[in-house]
Every structure is written in structure tokens, then in C-alpha cells.
Amino acid sequence: MTLTNMVGVRSCFKLLYAIVVLILLHMNNPCIGCSERERQALLALKQGLMGDDSYRLLSWGREARNKDCCEWDGVYCSNQTGHVVKLDLGFQFLQGKISPKLIELQHLEYLDLSGNFEHNFSFRSQIPDFIGSLSNLRYLDLSNANFGGLIPYQLGNLRNLHYLDLKFQDYPSRSIYAKNLYWLPNLSRLKYLDLSVVNLSDVVGWLEAINMLPKLTNLTLYGCNLPHPVISSVSLLNSSKSLVHVDLYKNNLNSSIFQWLPGTHTNLDYLDLSENKLSGRIPETRFSKLSKLRFLDLSSNSLVLNFSFDWVPPFQLRQIRLGSCKMGPYFPKWLRTQKSYDWLDISDAGISDTIPTWFGDLRNKVEYVDLSHNQLRGNLRSELASYYLNVSWNQLDVSTLDLSNNKFSGSASFLCTSTTEESYLTYLDLSSNHVSGELPDCWINFHKLVFLDLSNNSLSGKIPTTMGHLIRIGTLNLNNNRFVGELPSQLKNCRNLTLVDVGENKLSGLIPEWLGENMLNLAIIILRSNQFYRSIPPQLCHLTQLQILDLSMNNISGTIPKCLNTWTILAQNGHSKASIEHSNIFQWGGSFYDFPYDDEASLTWKGVRSKYKSILGLVKSIDLSCNKLSGEIPTEITYLVGLVSLNLSRNRLTGQIPSRIGNLQEILLIYQETR
């Protein structure tokens, strides 16, 4: 080889080496830097969405030192191209409008704007149709962001989409809906679909559209008001055989269970068909291929489980929710084959039997047990401990958790068998029994308690001061006992209270000002039939969520506050939801579970004392009767147009009835007798 050729070869090697080094440096660079076009698009997005508490957007700036948008919080860029490929802005308290400049991010694969709904932070607009132009999106989560209005059909252009979550946070004043889903089959790569609480009542052919998604594995459509399929032969049996998760909870589906029970989907892990109107008898053969099933909820339907006494299921369930499914008269023996479940609900199952001895062996596994509304006999083994145990409306002799409507008697001291151990109770209902004596002062150990109902017993003495440690408590019902003294001031720490009922006791003193200063979530206050005196504190006017106020049959004097027109709920016309439902979220084993409950209140209506639960949300009432109130009826009361009941009878009121009393068009009952 000549010298000239050798020099040429060395030059080629040097050039090749330089190219390789540049490629390696390029590959190892964590971020090349976003383009100016994408940077300006993000700044426009920030300008439209900035919320005071959004810490992520605070890092999005125009300063030279912060010019590279790939380093901004929530922004992720491709290591190879530098283009923005991911925006994670979930749970950032964002509000405002999404800038159309978003479509400049044409390489975007992941967009999360979920969870921006609390404290009035939200987008409060329709889902922008230009999101359908982000053709590279694979992940789109707009759930619980308070979008409203019509879902744009342009989402059907997102043909690369694998994940779509439009779940709606249920606000009374807003709704999100779809008129059709004909665009949905375009998303042929979709694996995850959640349209929960999206109103689909007008969508004909929704099930056919779902069945045209060949790769779908997760389907969640709870609370969607789904219409019955026009073609009865169309069912989930026609859907993707890859389905793993199916949730059609609370849709008023009214047909045979066989249209919705995908018995041939061998990969099925999660099935929730609860709170519908499904009917039929389910043979055990229907589950013969569901060996991977772990979660089963068929509760609140009209179903009969036709299982043989010695049936051995092919699955091992972790949660068994079969409330109202008839499976009696014998206690289901197949439960003994299930070795790892932590949730069991077989309430109202038509069981008339003795609890078998083997059931107590489940004590180390089961965290939630509901056996209520059966005809169970015998003794429940004390070893069966759980976070929630409901055996009410049976014939058992027990003393724990939900024991309402029984005949238990004796001291309440059993609540404090230990003064140091932390209680995991979140829900405790001992109402309508014969428990007597003073309440033990041990409530410092019950800080997880959300619901406490001790009403209709014979409890006496003062309300314990340690109840002020119930910082999560939402419902406190001590009605119809023999409590004396004042309401302990420590209760002002219970800022999550929405219902306080201490009516029909022997309590005395002033109505506490802190009721209106510290408990701004209060919706129901019942102090009826006690010995409270002096005036109604004006601080109660701060309770904008107040729906029911019952101060009747006390010794309250003074005038009716003029500021009561600040009670926002009472000043709103129209009806809210029928019931007042609360979430009771608790954790075990690394997972979160929700045990919702409905509030209940006892009220006097047309001279008759009645309990309200299923329609309590429709009751908007003020009862100040049987006191010593004086002066005129304030005209501000006529602004409470949502009132359906107003009772001011048997007081010392004077003057004229306000001329605008006719504004109360929702009113059903007005007492204006004076003593």
C-alpha cells in the first residue's frame, strides 16, 4: 500500500470515529432540548390554565436559565428527537381553558389532565375537539377534570390510542354526555376505556360499538344510564375475548343476566354488574371457564345463584359481593373453598341456617363481612375480627360494629376494652338497642371513625370530650338518649362533620358559635327537644351547605337572624339527589376500598315523626317551633326558595308576614301560629 493510500485510509477511520462519537454523545444526552415552537405552545397552555396552587406550572418560565421546556415539571421529551412526548398535569388544581396551541405538540403520546376538580378548580368547558388532531396520542386521561357538554366525535381520529379515560366527577350542576359512539370503533388499538358517569342514555348501539374494539381489555361504564340494547342478541358475549376488567355498575340494565355475564371470557379477572335490574337463575356452569376471576360483584339485582351444595369453583376470589343474590336456605359451602378473599357480602341472600364452625377460621383473611338481613342462628365466634362486620337483622348474639336494630343491653364500656390500642373502625352503628350508662372517654383511639350512630339507646352522662379526636367523622348521631350538659367545645375539631343529631336529650347551655365557625361542611343540624337557651348565634349563617336546621322544642329566645339568606343550598330552587351519600374510603393490604353510606334523619312532618333516608336529599327544612323567639319574621327568609318545610309555630313572633313569602314556591308546609 502506498503512503498516499495509507493516509487516505487513516482519514476515513478518523472520520468514522468522529461520527460514532457524535452518535454516542447524542444517544447519551438525556434531552436534546425542545423546539421553540413547542416551547411557545406550552407557554400558551400555561397562560390559559394557571392555577394558584399548581406547583408544576410554576417551573414553566420565559427566563433564559429555564428555556429548555424538557426540564419543566410534568413535561417529558424524547431522548432521540427532543420533541415533547408526554404531559403529566394530573391533580394540579388547574382551571381555565386549554389553548388551541396544544396541537403544536404533534409528537405528543401521553396527555394527563385528570383530577383537576377540587376546590372549584376545573376546566368548566367541553373537551376541546382539537385534541382529536394529536394523532400520535397513545394515552389520554381527562377524568375528573369537570369537563362538560358533548364528547367530541373528533376523538375518533386518535387511531393510535391505547388508553382513554373520560370518567366524570359527578357534579349536580354539570354533566358530560354523548349522542353517539360511532367514532369509537376507529380506535381499533384501544385496550382501556373508562366513560364512567358520562351520560350515554341517548346512545343507540353503544354495545355494538364496544364489541368492535378487538383489543379491549378494560371496560368501565359505571353510572352511565345505559339504554337497553335494541338487538337482544347483542351481548358482552360478542365482545373482545381479551376482556380482563368489566364494570357496568349502577346502570339500571333491565334484562336477563345472561346478556351481561361473559362466561366464555377466560381472561376475565374483574366483573361488576351491581345495582342494576338484572334477573335470572345463574347455574354454576356459567363460571366454569372463569378460572382467573378475582373480583365478583352481582349485588343489588334480582338474581338466584343455582349452585350445588358441593360445588367447587374454578376461581379463587379476593372480593365476593353478592348482596341480595338468593343462594339459601343453607349457608353456602363453596365459600370454604375460597382461600384468599378479604371482602364478603352475602346479605339478604335468603339464608336460614346456623353459621358453620369453619367460618370462624377465616379470621386472619377477611376484612369486611356483611351477613345482614338473613335468618342466621347461633353464636358468631369471637375470633372473627374484621374492619367492618355487619350482622344486623339476624338472630345472632354478638357485640361489634353494625349491630343496629337488635336488643343488646348493658353498659357501653365494651367499646373500650383497651385504652391504648388503635381502632380500625370507620363505621360504628349501635342504634336502636338498649345500651345504657355513660359513654367511656376513650374516643382518642377511634380517629379513623367516619360514621357513628348511637341513637335510640339509654346512654346518659356528658358527651365525652375525647370525641373531639374524631377528626374524620362525617356523621354523628346521638339522638334520643339521656345525655346532659353542654356540647363539648372539643367537637369543634371535627371539621368534616356534615350531620350532627343530638336531638331528644337533656343537653343545655348556649348553642355553640363554633358550629358555624369550624364546621363549614354541616348540612344537617338537629338540636331538637333539649334545653338550649339564649339566641341563635349569627355564626350559623356561615353554613352555606346547610339543608336541614331543627332547633325546635328548646328555650331559645331573641330574634331570627337576618343573615340566613346566606344559606346557599336552601336558597337554590329545585331538587338535589334523593339520598345524601358519603364515601367511606379505607385502606388495607396496600389497596383502597370504598364503603359508601347514606345519611338518615328523623324529622317531624305534618305533625308526624318519621325517618328519612332514601329521599333525605330532597328535604330542605327549617324548624324553629316551640321556643321563645320574638320580633318580626325577617324578609330574608323569603330568599330561601328551596325550602319545602318551614315551621315557626308556638313562638312569640309579632308583626306582619313578609309580603314576598310567595317566593317560597317549593314550600309544602308553613306554620305561622304564634303563642
Side-chain angles (χ1 to χ4, degrees):
M1 179 179 296
T2 64
L3 181 60
T4 302
N5 290 338
M6 291 178 64
V7 172
V9 170
R10 287 182 179 178
S11 298
C12 289
F13 273 119
K14 288 181 179 180
L15 179 61
L16 180 61
Y17 177 78
I19 293 174
V20 170
V21 169
L22 287 174
I23 292 175
L24 290 175
L25 288 174
H26 179 77
M27 293 177 64
N28 291 327
N29 188 357
C31 183
I32 297 174
C34 66
S35 66
E36 182 62 21
R37 183 177 183 180
E38 291 181 337
R39 182 175 179 272
Q40 292 301 323
L42 290 173
L43 290 175
L45 184 65
K46 172 186 177 179
Q47 186 175 8
L49 294 184
M50 189 63 182
D52 293 338
D53 295 324
S54 177
Y55 68 89
R56 281 191 177 168
L57 295 191
L58 294 177
S59 68
W60 296 19
R62 298 177 180 274
E63 299 83 359
R65 60 181 177 81
N66 200 12
K67 186 174 182 180
D68 186 3
C69 64
C70 294
E71 298 180 0
W72 295 352
D73 288 337
V75 180
Y76 301 85
C77 298
S78 167
N79 290 339
Q80 284 71 43
T81 66
H83 288 301
V84 176
V85 295
K86 178 178 178 180
L87 271 183
D88 185 358
L89 299 178
F91 295 90
Q92 294 300 303
F93 304 103
L94 300 177
Q95 61 179 336
K97 293 184 178 180
I98 299 176
S99 169
K101 288 286 187 177
L102 183 68
I103 63 174
E104 300 290 346
L105 307 179
Q106 280 298 311
H107 298 273
L108 198 64
E109 300 177 3
Y110 182 110
L111 177 59
D112 185 354
L113 299 175
S114 65
N116 291 293
F117 65 91
E118 294 187 8
H119 307 295
N120 296 320
F121 292 97
S122 57
F123 300 116
R124 295 185 177 276
S125 62
Q126 289 187 217
I127 297 174
D129 54 14
F130 55 75
I131 288 182
S133 300
L134 300 173
S135 58
N136 284 308
L137 273 183
R138 297 164 59 89
Y139 182 104
L140 178 59
D141 190 348
L142 305 180
S143 64
N144 296 333
N146 207 14
F147 285 107
L150 182 66
I151 295 177
Y153 67 86
Q154 288 87 348
L155 295 184
N157 298 329
L158 304 177
R159 298 178 183 271
N160 290 311
L161 208 59
H162 289 192
Y163 184 104
L164 177 60
D165 191 347
L166 304 181
K167 176 168 63 262
F168 181 63
Q169 181 72 17
D170 193 5
Y171 282 102
S173 60
R174 296 187 61 76
S175 63
I176 186 171
Y177 64 96
K179 290 185 177 179
N180 59 67
L181 293 178
Y182 68 82
W183 50 269
L184 191 60
N186 293 342
L187 311 181
S188 58
R189 299 182 180 181
L190 199 63
K191 296 181 179 180
Y192 183 102
L193 176 63
D194 190 341
L195 300 179
S196 298
V197 198
V198 174
N199 191 343
L200 301 179
S201 59
D202 295 330
V203 179
V204 177
W206 66 270
L207 186 53
E208 290 88 341
I210 296 295
N211 288 344
M212 294 177 68
L213 299 174
K215 296 185 178 181
L216 192 66
T217 60
N218 288 62
L219 173 64
T220 303
L221 300 175
Y222 73 75
C224 291
N225 297 316
L226 295 172
H228 188 70
V230 177
I231 305 175
S232 59
S233 61
V234 178
S235 71
L236 277 178
L237 295 174
N238 308 121
S239 62
S240 167
K241 299 303 180 183
S242 59
L243 273 176
V244 173
H245 181 111
V246 175
D247 186 350
L248 301 180
Y249 158 73
K250 206 171 187 178
N251 275 293
N252 289 320
L253 296 172
N254 186 5
S255 63
S256 168
I257 181 63
F258 297 107
Q259 191 167 11
W260 309 104
L261 188 59
T264 60
H265 291 59
T266 56
N267 292 316
L268 197 65
D269 172 84
Y270 184 107
L271 178 62
D272 188 348
L273 302 177
S274 62
E275 293 201 33
N276 284 287
K277 298 179 181 178
L278 303 175
S279 59
R281 301 176 69 90
I282 307 177
E284 61 192 48
T285 54
R286 195 71 176 185
F287 295 95
S288 61
K289 296 182 179 180
L290 304 183
S291 61
K292 296 182 180 180
L293 195 63
R294 295 295 177 266
F295 181 102
L296 177 62
D297 193 345
L298 303 177
S299 60
S300 300
N301 284 288
S302 299
L303 302 173
V304 177
L305 304 184
N306 192 15
F307 300 162
S308 63
F309 185 71
D310 293 321
W311 178 52
V312 178
F315 46 67
Q316 285 293 322
L317 295 175
R318 292 180 180 172
Q319 294 205 17
I320 304 171
R321 304 187 180 206
L322 301 175
S324 77
C325 294
K326 306 307 177 186
M327 61 186 78
Y330 302 111
F331 199 91
K333 185 179 178 181
W334 63 270
L335 289 178
R336 194 174 187 179
T337 69
Q338 303 300 292
K339 305 298 183 182
S340 58
Y341 67 90
D342 55 20
W343 189 294
L344 174 65
D345 180 0
I346 52 173
S347 60
D348 192 22
I351 301 173
S352 179
D353 198 1
T354 301
I355 294 182
T357 56
W358 53 261
F359 191 66
D361 295 333
L362 304 174
R363 61 187 182 276
N364 293 324
K365 297 182 285 292
V366 183
E367 308 291 353
Y368 177 104
V369 178
D370 191 344
L371 308 178
S372 65
H373 293 84
N374 286 290
Q375 298 182 42
L376 297 171
R377 303 182 298 276
N379 293 318
L380 193 63
R381 292 175 58 178
S382 60
E383 304 97 302
L384 182 60
S386 62
Y387 286 105
Y388 180 88
L389 173 63
N390 186 350
V391 290
S392 60
W393 297 97
N394 278 289
Q395 301 170 21
L396 299 169
D397 183 15
V398 293
S399 56
T400 182
L401 300 182
D402 188 342
L403 300 176
S404 58
N405 296 284
N406 277 290
K407 296 181 179 180
F408 298 116
S409 60
S411 170
S413 60
F414 71 92
L415 292 170
C416 294
T417 55
S418 172
T419 58
T420 58
E421 288 186 8
E422 175 186 352
S423 172
Y424 291 98
L425 280 178
T426 60
Y427 183 101
L428 176 57
D429 191 347
L430 292 173
S431 62
S432 301
N433 281 285
H434 302 292
V435 182
S436 60
E438 295 187 4
L439 276 179
D441 201 12
C442 61
W443 298 94
I444 192 172
N445 300 323
F446 289 81
H447 66 273
K448 294 185 179 180
L449 204 61
V450 172
F451 177 98
L452 177 62
D453 191 346
L454 304 177
S455 63
N456 301 312
N457 280 284
S458 300
L459 297 167
S460 59
K462 293 185 176 182
I463 298 174
T465 58
T466 55
M467 280 193 167
H469 290 275
L470 304 180
I471 57 175
R472 292 189 59 200
I473 193 78
T475 299
L476 177 62
N477 192 342
L478 305 178
N479 183 280
N480 193 22
N481 281 283
R482 300 171 185 171
F483 291 114
V484 298
E486 299 181 349
L487 285 175
S489 61
Q490 290 81 358
L491 286 178
K492 65 184 178 182
N493 298 322
C494 306
R495 296 175 179 268
N496 290 314
L497 273 170
T498 59
L499 183 152
V500 173
D501 187 348
V502 294
E504 299 174 88
N505 282 284
K506 297 180 180 180
L507 298 169
S508 59
L510 304 178
I511 297 176
E513 296 178 352
W514 46 259
L515 279 174
E517 294 174 338
N518 294 66
M519 301 179 178
L520 299 183
N521 293 318
L522 273 176
I524 299 175
I525 302 177
I526 299 176
L527 308 183
R528 173 184 63 239
S529 190
N530 280 286
Q531 299 170 23
F532 292 108
Y533 56 86
R534 297 280 179 87
S535 60
I536 300 173
Q539 287 81 0
L540 294 187
C541 294
H542 299 159
L543 302 177
T544 59
Q545 303 301 309
L546 193 65
Q547 177 178 325
I548 295 174
L549 177 64
D550 189 347
L551 306 181
S552 62
M553 291 183 281
N554 281 282
N555 295 313
I556 302 172
S557 58
T559 59
I560 300 175
K562 293 185 177 182
C563 56
L564 43 74
N565 59 321
T566 59
W567 291 336
T568 305
I569 297 299
L570 292 176
Q572 291 177 351
N573 212 337
H575 298 307
S576 55
K577 292 184 178 179
S579 61
I580 300 179
E581 183 179 277
H582 299 278
S583 289
N584 174 18
I585 299 175
F586 49 96
Q587 179 183 15
W588 71 73
S591 300
F592 289 88
Y593 299 90
D594 189 9
F595 170 66
Y597 68 89
D598 292 339
D599 272 334
E600 181 180 79
S602 176
L603 300 170
T604 299
W605 193 268
K606 295 185 178 180
V608 178
R609 183 69 52 80
S610 302
K611 286 187 176 181
Y612 294 88
K613 185 173 183 179
S614 61
I615 61 169
L616 183 61
L618 305 181
V619 180
K620 298 179 179 180
S621 170
I622 296 177
D623 191 346
L624 305 180
S625 64
C626 300
N627 281 287
K628 300 177 182 178
L629 295 169
S630 58
E632 296 185 346
I633 300 174
T635 58
E636 287 79 2
I637 208 166
T638 62
Y639 292 97
L640 305 182
V641 295
L643 274 175
V644 297
S645 174
L646 173 63
N647 191 346
L648 305 179
S649 67
R650 295 176 175 82
N651 279 285
R652 300 173 180 175
L653 300 172
T654 58
Q656 296 182 344
I657 296 176
S659 59
R660 290 185 292 183
I661 198 71
N663 293 345
L664 307 182
Q665 298 180 8
E666 294 278 345
I667 209 77
L668 298 179
L669 181 64
I670 301 182
Y671 287 115
Q672 260 313 309
E673 304 168 8
T674 59
R675 188 172 62 186

